[in-house]
Amino acid sequence: MNDLAAFEQLMRRHNRALYRTARSIVKDDAEAEDVLQEAYLLAFRAMADFRGEASMSTWLTRIVINEAIGRTRRRSAEIIPLDVEDTMDEHQERPEQALLRSEARRLIERKIDGLPDSFRTVFVLRALEEMTVEETAACLAIPEATVRTRYFRARGLLREALSRELDVALEDAFAFDGARCDRIVANVLERLKN
């Protein structure tokens, strides 16, 4: 397959899955793009050797995995000097970590707010205020068994709401289509022409 137009279609068909595969290994967007581009170059050069013993997607995925693992090994073998100014106090949180924590907190707060009133109050007293079942029952003037039931139900409803949110978010994880796909295809085609 020395036809660049056909190879471009092949890249576009497999880009997202292969990018996600690379990203899962190298854990960095830019590095995953580099891995994918190098893997495509390797695949293009080895296309004549493809015997069809596995599907094309399996063959390409194996190339991406090998490239990603190789990069990870090379990167971990490099000695990275520590610059005293760059090290952070253990108790300091990086801005991106603080932002993620803040977003997660807001999501959880919204989902807690969405619980039915009677469940929400029990959940807040038990989970957030760390009251015992007995203390919660006394505060709300309800039986301890009711506190246990409502707390159990609140946790289940909260878990379900967060799970739905997670399911929706997973579909967009490591977004690829559009500009990133076009950039990788263009870079590989440019390098193949040289």
Side-chain angles (χ1 to χ4, degrees):
M1 175 194 280
N2 284 342
D3 180 11
L4 289 182
F7 195 70
E8 178 179 352
Q9 290 302 311
L10 178 87
M11 286 188 289
R12 291 189 183 281
R13 185 176 320 119
H14 297 284
N15 257 344
R16 183 176 179 182
L18 295 176
Y19 170 79
R20 285 178 166 181
T21 301
R23 177 67 175 71
S24 72
I25 297 169
V26 299
K27 296 189 264 184
D28 179 79
D29 291 347
E31 187 77 10
E33 286 187 28
D34 290 345
V35 164
L36 189 53
Q37 289 177 48
E38 288 304 317
Y40 277 137
L41 292 171
L42 291 169
F44 185 81
R45 292 180 190 122
M47 195 60 71
D49 299 331
F50 176 67
R51 295 185 302 267
E53 293 170 358
S55 70
M56 180 63 71
S57 63
T58 301
W59 183 68
L60 290 170
T61 301
R62 192 72 239 153
I63 293 171
V64 168
I65 289 170
N66 289 337
E67 179 65 21
I69 289 172
R71 279 176 180 254
T72 302
R73 285 184 183 146
R74 286 190 299 274
R75 191 175 55 218
S76 64
E78 296 172 3
I79 298 174
I80 302 171
L82 285 177
D83 185 12
V84 177
E85 293 175 12
D86 288 341
T87 58
M88 297 185 73
D89 181 50
E90 290 178 16
H91 304 291
Q92 280 185 322
E93 191 172 41
R94 291 188 176 140
E96 58 272 4
Q97 290 170 322
L99 179 63
L100 287 174
R101 183 181 309 280
S102 175
E103 288 176 9
R105 186 193 76 245
R106 282 193 299 275
L107 172 63
I108 291 169
E109 289 171 350
R110 279 195 322 270
K111 297 307 175 188
I112 290 171
D113 285 344
L115 292 171
D117 293 344
S118 58
F119 292 163
R120 184 176 58 251
T121 304
V122 168
F123 182 82
V124 168
L125 292 177
R126 291 279 294 122
L128 304 182
E129 296 303 320
E130 298 179 347
M131 287 186 175
T132 65
V133 170
E134 297 78 20
E135 291 169 329
T136 304
C139 286
L140 298 175
I142 57 175
E144 291 177 13
T146 303
V147 169
R148 286 186 187 92
T149 301
R150 288 180 182 177
Y151 181 62
F152 179 78
R153 284 283 295 135
R155 284 182 42 191
L157 290 170
L158 187 58
R159 188 177 299 119
E160 188 178 303
L162 290 170
S163 177
R164 278 193 307 269
E165 194 82 24
L166 181 62
D167 288 344
V168 170
L170 280 176
E171 290 185 20
D172 296 331
F174 307 124
F176 189 82
D177 298 335
R180 178 174 280 148
C181 179
D182 292 341
R183 182 174 55 249
I184 288 174
V185 169
N187 286 342
V188 170
L189 291 175
E190 184 61 35
R191 289 175 67 184
L192 287 173
K193 289 176 185 174
N194 294 333

